[in-house]
Amino acid sequence: WTKPDGKRIIFGSDREKRWFIFWKAADGTGKVEQVASVPDTGIWPYSISNDGKTLFFEQWSSSGGPNIGMLAMEGDRTPKLLLQEEYAESQPQISPSGRWLAYSSNESGQNNVFIRPLPDVDSGRWQVSTSGGAYPLWSPDERELFYRSGDSYMAVEVETEPAFKLGKTAVLFKGTYTSGSGLVGMELTH
């Protein structure tokens, strides 16, 4: 991931025998610096807020997970877990406004996409997909959420004002894919 100002690249690496989060100047100068680690677990960066101040990550350990956490990119960089439940929660994507968190969870017995409000993730929860879903990605205007469901890429309408509401879901395109990375790192406009 690149910080919104384009000056640093944020990445996960197991160079320390466990997955940590690092960053480096985007122009290749300087040293690689460790940004965050969590004792006895691995963490992987997934998305960063538009202002570059908050990074959302996936955390896992040999005893369970994955779970979802956040990390302040300024000041105290102590990782904070947001979702730590008995099922796997992964692939966190913060909305452009910073008010919503989309993610994948297997709480229904298969991976599906969910949305929760930020910063209080316990004040609401909406299930986006019903027959499988992963790799959520917000549209730049926050009026759609894209995700992968089997061999299809989907788009669902999202309304955030005056209240949160999900609208119509449509298949964007369908096909056979060889990558497990879904929409991560892609920029879609619709």
Side-chain angles (χ1 to χ4, degrees):
W1 289 98
T2 304
K3 278 192 74 172
D5 64 10
K7 293 181 180 178
R8 294 187 188 200
I9 295 174
I10 300 168
F11 61 97
S13 173
D14 68 348
R15 63 181 63 204
E16 304 290 332
K17 307 279 190 242
R18 206 171 63 222
W19 289 95
F20 294 158
I21 297 174
F22 297 88
W23 66 9
K24 181 171 177 61
D27 66 4
T29 62
K31 294 182 180 181
V32 170
E33 297 176 49
Q34 183 177 317
V35 174
S37 67
V38 177
D40 303 320
T41 67
I43 57 177
W44 183 261
Y46 255 91
S47 66
I48 192 163
S49 60
N50 276 347
D51 63 9
K53 293 182 180 181
T54 309
L55 177 77
F56 290 82
F57 62 85
E58 187 177 290
Q59 173 191 335
W60 67 95
S61 68
S62 59
S63 62
N67 297 302
I68 293 173
M70 62 186 273
L71 173 72
M73 297 304 291
E74 298 174 347
D76 180 17
R77 288 195 209 132
T78 303
K80 173 187 171 191
L81 282 179
L82 292 175
L83 299 175
Q84 183 179 14
E85 313 206 1
E86 68 272 11
Y87 30 80
E89 294 144 333
S90 60
Q91 305 156 357
Q93 291 294 320
I94 187 171
S95 69
S97 70
R99 295 180 49 213
W100 309 100
L101 181 69
Y103 64 98
S104 179
S105 173
N106 68 355
E107 66 188 78
S108 63
Q110 67 177 341
N111 278 340
N112 274 300
V113 173
F114 293 83
I115 296 174
R116 291 192 188 222
L118 286 171
D120 185 7
V121 293
D122 293 326
S123 64
R125 183 179 67 75
W126 296 268
Q127 186 169 343
V128 176
S129 62
T130 55
S131 56
Y135 305 107
L137 183 66
W138 291 94
S139 67
D141 64 6
E142 202 169 281
R143 295 190 312 200
E144 287 182 295
L145 184 73
F146 307 104
Y147 63 92
R148 184 172 173 181
S149 180
D151 65 353
S152 299
Y153 281 89
M154 312 295 290
V156 62
E157 295 172 350
V158 177
E159 187 177 308
T160 60
E161 296 295 333
F164 189 89
K165 183 173 126 182
L166 295 171
K168 184 176 65 174
T169 300
V171 175
L172 289 177
F173 47 92
K174 197 172 187 167
T176 303
Y177 305 96
T178 58
S179 172
S181 64
L183 294 170
V184 174
M186 291 178 63
E187 181 179 329
L188 293 178
T189 56
H190 181 70

